[in-house]
Amino acid sequence: MSTNGLTEQTFAEMIAENGGRLFRTGACVRDSLLGIRTKQIDFTVVGMVKKNFKLLFPQAKESGTPFPVFYVMVDGIRSEVAFARTEQKADDGQIRISAKPKIGIEVDLLRRDTTINAMAKDSLTGEIIDPYQGQMAIGAKVLKATSSAFTNDPLNALRLARQTAQFGFTIETDTLELARTVQKDLMQVSPNEMLPELVMTLSEAKEPSRFFAVLKDLSLLSVAFAELAALPMDKFSASMLGLDAVANLSQNSKVRFAALGFALPKEGFSAWSERMSLPADWVEAASTFSEGIRILVQRRPADFVDMILKLRRGALDVTEFDLITQAVAFNIPQLQEFKDNMALPKGEVVPTELKGTEIRAWVKMKQVEAVAKKMQCLLEKKVE
């Protein structure tokens, strides 16, 4: 059947007619209970083999190994569909995955990281399946490992820290102790596998500093983000305060990272961006902001003009630059005020005898004069 125009109800009914059951699982169930608009609907199929699913939905796009998922348009949304499975850590340290029709939804949920993510919703009946008391954890605002299998995946410790920052929940004591045991295993994880947790933290967390603070408490910050861990305590604390101040004004991950990257010395920032494939606009924004702060403290009009022009065509714009300086209380005037004064006065035009680079030089001179005049006005106003 074509998946065009497929509704969740029809999707669930077709699977049920063929001996299976469809459930919403993971973050979308959690978010609905928290009153948060979910970004993606994930489904889990129970009681059906992959071959039969592909026959029913031939347009579903299969992706991934060794355990594939399918992408299906449901209610006009590209949704991820997986099959109920178990995960067990073998003696050699490898995770053995088993997906069989007899695996029930409760067993599948047991492999999830925390109990708030170990819930499902029956797509036919709307019933919430909550065998590990996820709703109780949400009510208590507590993060708790679903089982001791939490340590099978060392990235669960980063997910735990991210969920703390995202929801403001505390962490159950036993779960903290479990997370502290994954340090050696986390050292074997590629930095790029850790990147998604950083991206989600800077994109979604209300207090992103809690992500780093939890990792520091777990002695995992030096493994995941060594450059931040190397900061002296006073600079680390200041960077976290600045990050949260910016996060309070903007949900833009690029802007938040620019504030965070500024806390690092140049060599530390370079090491981080080389070790982890950070988004290119993050790196450019952080580098531009650091350069701007270093230059603009000199209060030279020509530097202000150069920076405003650079911000016009770069990853960070003037409004975003001003937002960070305002949030972190840098002693830098708001650039927007100077930008507004850089246009040529009404009636003034470029002399006709100027050509090519002479025109650019003349315009630059006028812009510098305008910025210098504005600086003087602000200085005189401050003196008054």
Side-chain angles (χ1 to χ4, degrees):
M1 174 185 174
S2 169
T3 59
N4 294 329
L6 184 67
T7 67
E8 182 175 352
Q9 181 69 25
T10 302
F11 191 28
E13 288 173 353
M14 291 180 65
I15 288 174
E17 288 167 2
N18 286 271
R21 201 74 177 183
L22 182 70
F23 298 88
R24 289 191 178 202
T25 48
C28 63
V29 180
R30 175 202 69 204
D31 289 349
S32 67
L33 293 171
L34 284 167
I36 299 172
R37 183 178 180 181
T38 193
K39 294 182 177 179
Q40 179 176 319
I41 306 296
D42 293 334
F43 293 101
T44 297
V45 175
V46 171
M48 179 179 285
V49 296
K50 185 176 73 170
K51 179 181 178 181
N52 290 347
F53 182 86
K54 291 173 72 173
L55 289 173
L56 273 178
F57 307 102
Q59 289 186 320
K61 303 297 183 183
E62 186 174 354
S63 175
T65 55
F67 182 79
V69 296
F70 290 86
Y71 290 97
V72 181
M73 295 299 294
V74 181
D75 291 319
I77 300 171
R78 186 173 184 261
S79 303
E80 185 176 292
V81 182
F83 292 84
R85 66 186 189 266
T86 60
E87 296 177 356
Q88 290 186 327
K89 193 171 186 177
D91 293 339
D92 61 1
Q94 298 298 310
I95 302 297
R96 301 289 188 261
I97 298 174
S98 176
K100 297 178 181 179
K102 66 180 181 180
I103 296 172
I105 190 63
E106 293 84 359
V107 175
D108 177 84
L109 294 174
L110 185 61
R111 66 181 177 79
R112 312 281 172 149
D113 52 1
T114 57
T115 59
I116 67 170
N117 289 331
M119 294 180 285
K121 182 178 181 179
D122 191 309
S123 292
L124 277 181
T125 67
E127 177 190 2
I128 299 294
I129 314 299
D130 184 15
Y132 310 109
Q133 291 77 54
Q135 293 175 94
M136 186 181 297
I138 287 175
K141 297 184 177 181
V142 172
L143 295 173
K144 181 180 179 181
T146 306
S147 74
S148 59
F150 179 92
T151 58
N152 286 351
D153 184 355
L155 286 173
N156 280 340
L158 269 69
R159 297 181 184 113
L160 181 72
R162 189 249 305 163
Q163 289 169 32
T164 304
Q166 191 173 356
F167 306 116
F169 288 8
T170 58
I171 304 173
E172 181 219 29
T173 302
D174 289 346
T175 301
L176 277 172
E177 294 308 312
L178 280 175
R180 287 194 174 100
T181 68
V182 305
Q183 187 181 66
K184 288 185 178 179
D185 288 337
L186 191 61
M187 289 178 181
Q188 307 306 313
V189 176
S190 162
N192 286 333
E193 291 183 69
M194 304 181 197
L195 180 59
E197 297 305 318
L198 176 63
V199 172
M200 284 190 282
T201 296
L202 293 185
S203 301
E204 302 173 7
K206 297 177 182 178
E207 294 181 75
S209 69
R210 295 186 66 169
F211 174 71
F212 302 105
V214 169
L215 292 178
K216 191 176 184 71
D217 180 56
L218 296 173
S219 299
L220 299 177
L221 187 66
S222 59
V223 180
F225 306 104
E227 297 76 19
L228 289 173
L231 288 173
M233 181 56 72
D234 59 336
K235 288 190 176 181
F236 177 79
S237 298
S239 70
M240 294 298 105
L241 287 172
L243 173 60
D244 283 348
V246 172
N248 192 46
L249 297 177
S250 174
Q251 289 187 308
N252 188 316
S253 60
K254 172 194 66 179
V255 174
R256 292 178 173 193
F257 182 79
L260 181 64
F262 173 75
L264 295 172
K266 187 174 182 179
E267 59 274 13
F269 180 75
S270 297
W272 189 1
S273 58
E274 288 175 9
R275 183 175 57 84
M276 187 177 282
S277 300
L278 299 169
D281 61 333
W282 283 18
V283 174
E284 183 183 344
S287 299
T288 300
F289 183 75
S290 296
E291 177 189 357
I293 293 299
R294 186 181 72 253
I295 291 173
L296 298 182
V297 292
Q298 305 298 323
R299 296 291 201 280
R300 293 188 290 258
D303 291 337
F304 273 63
V305 171
D306 288 340
M307 183 52 58
I308 289 169
L309 294 176
K310 184 172 185 175
L311 291 169
R312 281 180 176 175
R313 56 181 180 268
L316 200 68
D317 63 29
V318 168
T319 301
E320 292 166 338
F321 187 96
D322 283 346
L323 182 148
I324 302 172
T325 59
Q326 177 187 0
V328 187
F330 283 111
N331 187 26
I332 301 290
Q334 296 284 279
L335 294 185
Q336 188 64 49
E337 293 187 67
F338 299 99
K339 180 183 176 183
D340 292 342
N341 283 270
M342 281 171 53
L344 290 176
K346 188 175 181 179
E348 187 166 9
V349 296
V350 178
T352 56
E353 66 271 17
L354 299 181
K355 306 293 181 184
T357 58
E358 294 176 328
I359 295 175
R360 290 194 293 273
W362 183 88
V363 171
K364 175 73 175 292
M365 178 188 69
K366 290 296 182 179
Q367 290 172 330
V368 171
E369 288 176 356
V371 168
K373 184 177 179 180
K374 181 63 178 180
M375 277 187 176
Q376 186 60 35
C377 289
L378 291 176
L379 181 62
E380 291 173 355
K381 186 175 180 181
K382 187 175 181 180
V383 171
E384 291 176 1

